[in-house]
Amino acid sequence: MADDVRELLLSTTADADPSTPLSAPDLRLLIDRLRIRSDRLHASALSFASSHRAPLAAALLRAADSSASSSSLESSLASALAPLSSSPGLSDLRELSDRLLAARRELRERQEHLAAASSVADLAARLRAARTSPDPLAAAAAAAELKPLLVDPEGSGSSQDEPVVFGLLRNDWEQLVDELQVMLAKNLEECVEFAPEGGKVMVRTAPVGKSGGTPGVELCVALQALEIIDAVDYGMTKLADLMIKHVLVPAISNISVAVSVEALEKSGPQYPISILCVTPTEELQGYKDGSALYSRIIDIIKFVCETICGENITWMQSFSKLTWSRISDLVIKHFISKAVPHEASKLIEFQDVVRSTTEFENTLRNMMFISHEKRDGKLTQFVDDVEVHFAVRKRNEILVKARHLLVHYDYDNPLASHDREDSIVDLLFLPEKCFISKSALQLMKLVHGALKDACLSSARVAKELCYAARDALLLYKAIVPVQLEKQLDCINQVAAIIHNDFYHLSQEILGLAFEYRADFPGDLQKLVVFVDLAPTFSQMADGVLTRQIQLVTANLIEAIDGADGFQNTHQPQHYESAKFSIEQVVFILEKIHIMWESILPRSIYKRSMCYILGSVFSRITKDMLLIDDMAAEETLQLQGLIHLALENLSSLFLSLVENEFLDHQTWIELDEIIRPLKKFRKLAELLDMSLKSITAAWESGELTNCGFTSSEVQNFVKAIFADSPLRKECLLWISRTPS
């Protein structure tokens, strides 16, 4: 209807916007159209009712009849229930119903109790039958059948809600199983007899007498019964222990033994007997690759498998579980650990042991004696890791030796040994020799030994040995400077030796790559590097020497400072002070000369001494040139002090050159290597020269070549010569002449 009104509305306002409000004429038109539509619908309804009058009337009659029937049924039901609701016997009926339900419930409970009692009686009867059964297999089978009925599969403990009688039955069952285990284990022991002296075992198929007061059963029957009650391990435990003690230990720990098996047929009341003997033999069977040893063990295991276990896999695996770990330990202790080589060159020969050991375990796996799990491959794991064990052990040995010799070496008396010549070594990259400590010498022997072994080893061992060599060298760097800290912090001969050690080690490290790299295993040639250590050791050597030079220079400067600038030497007191200062300087220099010449490499000794001498001459020359006024006597005194120093240092000068005498050529050579010496010697000449000679020497450039500056020459002239026209003229010439 809503759609029709919407259509009428749209037709009325067809040309207008639907959202605009309707006008009064439009509304009246809409009302008229709705009235016409309503009349049409009313006429249609009347026409339908007229044409279907009969069916409509029948439907109305059926509805009226249904309503009347429903009312009648409601009245009848109410009439029937009215007497019942008012009856006094309803409560009795309810009580009777409750008693009936209680009786039924009690009957059901009694039936359950009866069933439980029957079950208990049945279980008790089965336990008694199993206990009295003469057949251990039947008893074991009965015990196995009763286990799920009496033992909780999820736990061995009893439930708190179960009857007490079940706990008692469980205790009886456990006692039965224990008795079976003890009896069957005793039966096994009587079937397998070990000789008291060891090395012999006798196996019967059945015991001769009675086991525990009852007739014994055959060996295989006893093991079957133990298997049924899951007690094979229990029965095999003592047997395995005795087999290890009396058979396997003698067979593995002794080299010269033989394993023999003898089978005796049935004779009279005796059952067939099998005998295994481990007897000494005169033939020496060296272990070598272990094949002889492994063959003996396999023979013993085959004997157990055939005579005791009857080739039953389950029984064999039980025996293996109880013995294999101990067999492995015995083999490792008495053979493999002794076969591990002590030298890297022998490791290749150890591969025969690896091969035979692998074959041994594979044979046992084929016999189903051990599994393929990793825990059963103890021997192959050990031999496979022997290279690693050897390498780690060797590395530790090298480091322990290196540390011991570095820590315990007597650095206080390095020159006291009788074989001092052994400590004088050639430098690898210089045509010189130097003195090194025994500790450094022995350390390099260790390093060379490790690297030689690395060249003959596998990659894994070679890698560890190379790292051991590196670590041994680094130990020197870590231990010695700390251990000798006091000696390195003072002027000491030990410090010079430590410098040589570091210097020698740095050169040796550079040569290691050239000496050994080509012989290293393939992948190791690029992996192992030593050259990175050389700069560190070279820097340590320079640091030790630099510190010594600084200490020496500081002592020399302190001695020179005692001369108080060499002023007023014409006075006896000041002259003695200046002379003592020069003597102190000479003493210190001679001490260093004696200390270093026989130890340091010549080039380093020469360079260090020239630096120190240069510092000394430069300082003395500077102090003398700073004197602002010199008397004639004073110049002679200063000249004498210079000559005193030069004369007393003659042996030191000769140690720096190849000549044996201090001739003119030698002084020229010394002037070249010690630049301040030329100026120092020239100062002695200037102290005795005239003003014109000094001026001429300056103009010729001679003084400039000796290192004098214009200001120094002018100040020197002013200090020596009194003011005069000549001095002024000479000073003018000196100032104008370029240096």
Side-chain angles (χ1 to χ4, degrees):
M1 185 65 182
D3 293 338
D4 294 341
V5 173
R6 191 177 296 109
E7 290 177 359
L8 292 173
L9 181 60
L10 291 175
S11 63
T12 307
T13 61
D15 298 331
D17 187 357
S19 62
T20 57
L22 298 175
S23 62
D26 291 336
L27 289 174
R28 282 194 293 274
L29 179 59
L30 179 61
I31 292 170
D32 290 342
R33 290 184 177 179
L34 289 173
R35 186 180 296 113
I36 295 171
R37 178 66 62 86
S38 178
D39 290 344
R40 290 178 181 174
L41 292 174
H42 186 264
S44 298
L46 288 176
S47 175
F48 179 80
S50 298
S51 61
H52 298 82
R53 183 171 182 176
L56 288 175
L60 290 174
L61 287 174
R62 285 196 298 273
D65 292 341
S66 297
S67 177
S69 298
S70 177
S71 299
S72 176
L73 288 173
E74 183 179 1
S75 300
S76 299
L77 182 61
S79 299
L81 294 176
L84 185 63
S85 61
S86 60
S87 176
L90 181 61
S91 59
D92 296 335
L93 182 62
R94 290 177 178 173
E95 182 180 356
L96 181 62
S97 176
D98 292 340
R99 290 173 62 187
L100 179 62
L101 291 175
R104 288 182 176 178
R105 186 164 48 250
E106 183 179 358
L107 177 61
R108 185 169 57 253
E109 290 177 355
R110 289 187 178 184
Q111 289 175 343
E112 291 175 355
H113 291 164
L114 181 60
S118 299
S119 298
V120 170
D122 180 63
L123 291 174
R126 293 169 67 179
L127 279 171
R128 285 194 300 272
R131 190 181 297 276
T132 58
S133 174
D135 184 2
L137 286 177
E145 292 175 358
L146 291 172
K147 181 177 180 179
L149 301 176
L150 295 174
V151 179
D152 182 7
E154 296 181 357
S156 60
S158 60
S159 173
Q160 295 180 354
D161 299 332
E162 72 175 8
V164 177
V165 67
F166 276 96
L168 298 175
L169 289 174
R170 183 183 298 107
N171 292 337
D172 288 345
W173 176 86
E174 291 174 352
Q175 185 178 359
L176 170 63
V177 172
D178 289 342
E179 291 174 357
L180 280 173
Q181 289 182 156
V182 172
M183 185 270 291
L184 295 171
K186 183 68 174 176
N187 195 99
L188 287 181
E189 295 174 17
E190 293 176 356
C191 290
V192 183
E193 181 180 350
F194 293 90
E197 65 276 7
K200 183 178 181 180
V201 57
M202 182 184 301
V203 180
R204 296 184 177 90
T205 57
V208 177
K210 295 184 178 181
S211 177
T214 60
V217 297
E218 293 185 3
L219 178 61
C220 61
V221 175
L223 287 171
Q224 288 175 12
L226 287 169
E227 182 180 359
I228 292 173
I229 60 175
D230 294 331
V232 178
D233 290 349
Y234 178 88
M236 283 281 192
T237 299
K238 188 173 182 180
L239 178 63
D241 291 341
L242 294 173
M243 186 65 71
I244 290 288
K245 178 180 179 181
H246 294 290
V247 177
L248 286 166
V249 168
I252 296 173
S253 60
N254 298 321
I255 298 178
S256 300
V257 294
V259 175
S260 62
V261 177
E262 181 182 2
L264 302 180
E265 298 297 331
K266 180 177 179 181
S267 58
Q270 300 291 331
Y271 287 94
I273 300 175
S274 298
I275 301 174
L276 181 140
C277 296
V278 179
T279 57
T281 178
E282 295 181 358
E283 181 181 356
L284 183 62
Q285 299 180 9
Y287 279 174
K288 295 182 180 178
D289 62 349
S291 56
L293 171 65
Y294 294 146
S295 177
R296 292 201 296 268
I297 298 174
I298 290 174
D299 289 341
I300 295 171
I301 293 174
K302 284 182 178 180
F303 176 82
V304 173
C305 179
E306 295 172 358
T307 61
I308 298 178
C309 298
E311 298 186 355
N312 183 292
I313 295 176
T314 302
W315 307 344
M316 196 65 185
Q317 289 176 348
S318 174
F319 182 79
S320 169
K321 181 169 61 176
L322 296 169
T323 58
W324 176 240
S325 178
R326 287 181 283 177
I327 293 174
S328 300
D329 292 339
L330 287 171
V331 172
I332 291 172
K333 177 182 178 181
H334 294 286
F335 168 54
I336 299 179
S337 61
K338 295 179 180 179
V340 175
H342 296 281
E343 299 296 333
S345 58
K346 302 293 184 180
L347 276 176
I348 297 178
E349 298 178 5
F350 189 77
Q351 295 303 313
D352 294 336
V353 176
V354 176
R355 176 188 50 76
S356 61
T357 303
T358 304
E359 293 176 355
F360 171 61
E361 286 195 348
N362 289 336
T363 301
L364 296 181
R365 290 189 179 95
N366 294 333
M367 295 170 56
M368 305 297 290
F369 184 73
I370 60 175
S371 67
H372 290 274
E373 296 181 7
K374 185 177 181 180
R375 60 183 174 83
D376 285 340
K378 190 173 182 179
L379 295 180
T380 52
Q381 290 177 25
F382 188 90
V383 295
D384 287 342
D385 293 339
V386 160
E387 282 192 344
V388 177
H389 298 324
F390 169 81
V392 172
R393 184 184 69 185
K394 196 70 176 178
R395 179 177 182 177
N396 292 337
E397 289 178 358
I398 292 171
L399 294 181
V400 168
K401 288 181 180 178
R403 185 182 183 280
H404 183 270
L405 67 90
L406 292 175
V407 171
H408 295 90
Y409 179 70
D410 184 14
Y411 288 94
D412 293 332
N413 298 297
L415 303 177
S417 60
H418 298 293
D419 53 350
R420 183 175 181 274
E421 294 298 325
D422 294 340
S423 295
I424 300 176
V425 297
D426 293 318
L427 294 175
L428 197 58
F429 295 100
L430 288 175
E432 299 179 358
K433 298 178 181 292
C434 71
F435 181 92
I436 63 172
S437 66
K438 291 291 184 183
S439 62
L441 194 65
Q442 294 170 6
L443 179 66
M444 282 312 302
K445 288 182 179 179
L446 273 178
V447 171
H448 284 293
L451 296 180
K452 287 177 181 177
D453 289 343
C455 295
L456 302 174
S457 306
S458 63
R460 285 194 299 180
V461 176
K463 182 179 178 181
E464 291 295 330
L465 292 175
C466 289
Y467 285 150
R470 280 181 59 93
D471 292 343
L473 291 169
L474 291 173
L475 275 179
Y476 187 94
K477 175 178 174 290
I479 293 176
V480 173
V482 176
Q483 185 178 357
L484 303 179
E485 183 178 5
K486 292 183 179 179
Q487 289 92 326
L488 296 179
D489 205 31
C490 63
I491 302 174
N492 196 297
Q493 197 172 39
V494 174
I497 296 175
I498 299 305
H499 161 271
N500 286 356
D501 286 354
F502 276 114
Y503 192 69
H504 171 68
L505 291 175
S506 69
Q507 297 224 337
E508 289 291 320
I509 289 170
L510 287 174
L512 292 178
F514 299 99
E515 189 171 358
Y516 296 106
R517 183 181 298 277
D519 296 326
F520 284 158
D523 296 338
L524 209 62
Q525 294 181 3
K526 296 181 179 179
L527 182 63
V528 177
V529 178
F530 288 94
V531 70
D532 60 307
L533 299 179
T536 302
F537 280 78
S538 180
Q539 291 171 7
M540 293 293 293
D542 292 342
V544 172
L545 183 61
T546 300
R547 178 59 180 160
Q548 288 295 297
I549 292 175
Q550 290 174 348
L551 292 172
V552 171
T553 303
N555 285 354
L556 290 170
I557 296 302
E558 183 179 357
I560 295 172
D561 289 340
D564 195 19
F566 297 95
Q567 297 185 12
N568 302 318
T569 53
H570 59 288
Q571 298 177 4
Q573 182 179 358
H574 288 86
Y575 175 76
E576 291 299 327
S577 177
K579 182 180 178 183
F580 179 76
S581 176
I582 294 296
E583 290 174 347
Q584 283 291 103
V585 169
V586 171
F587 174 78
I588 294 172
L589 290 173
E590 279 298 327
K591 178 182 177 181
I592 299 301
H593 164 218
I594 297 172
M595 189 183 298
W596 286 1
E597 184 181 18
S598 61
I599 295 177
L600 293 177
R602 177 160 182 77
S603 60
I604 295 177
Y605 164 75
K606 184 176 178 180
R607 183 173 66 250
S608 302
M609 289 305 303
C610 288
Y611 174 82
I612 293 172
L613 288 171
S615 300
V616 170
F617 296 144
S618 178
R619 172 62 189 275
I620 295 175
T621 303
K622 178 182 177 182
D623 286 353
M624 289 184 176
L625 289 175
L626 287 176
I627 300 175
D628 55 0
D629 187 18
M630 297 184 194
E633 185 181 356
E634 191 172 356
T635 58
L636 296 177
Q637 298 286 9
L638 291 176
Q639 187 182 46
L641 292 174
I642 294 175
H643 289 156
L644 175 65
L646 294 176
E647 290 172 2
N648 291 337
L649 292 175
S650 58
S651 61
L652 174 56
F653 290 143
L654 290 174
S655 69
L656 300 177
V657 293
E658 301 297 334
N659 299 338
E660 297 181 0
F661 304 100
L662 285 175
D663 52 16
H664 178 70
Q665 187 61 36
T666 302
W667 284 114
I668 294 176
E669 187 175 347
L670 288 171
D671 289 342
E672 291 296 327
I673 61 176
I674 310 173
R675 299 298 298 178
L677 174 60
K678 189 175 183 179
K679 186 176 182 179
F680 185 67
R681 292 175 57 238
K682 193 64 179 178
L683 177 60
E685 295 180 13
L686 291 177
L687 289 169
D688 196 27
M689 289 174 63
S690 64
L691 181 56
K692 288 185 177 181
S693 299
I694 295 174
T695 305
W698 175 258
E699 290 178 346
S700 65
E702 182 181 354
L703 297 182
T704 302
N705 293 333
C706 292
F708 288 93
T709 63
S710 175
S711 59
E712 287 178 339
V713 175
Q714 293 179 55
N715 292 334
F716 180 76
V717 170
K718 293 177 181 178
I720 293 180
F721 300 100
D723 188 14
S724 65
L726 179 59
R727 193 184 80 167
K728 291 180 180 179
E729 182 180 357
C730 290
L731 290 175
L732 183 62
W733 277 104
I734 294 172
S735 63
R736 288 180 178 179
T737 304
S739 58

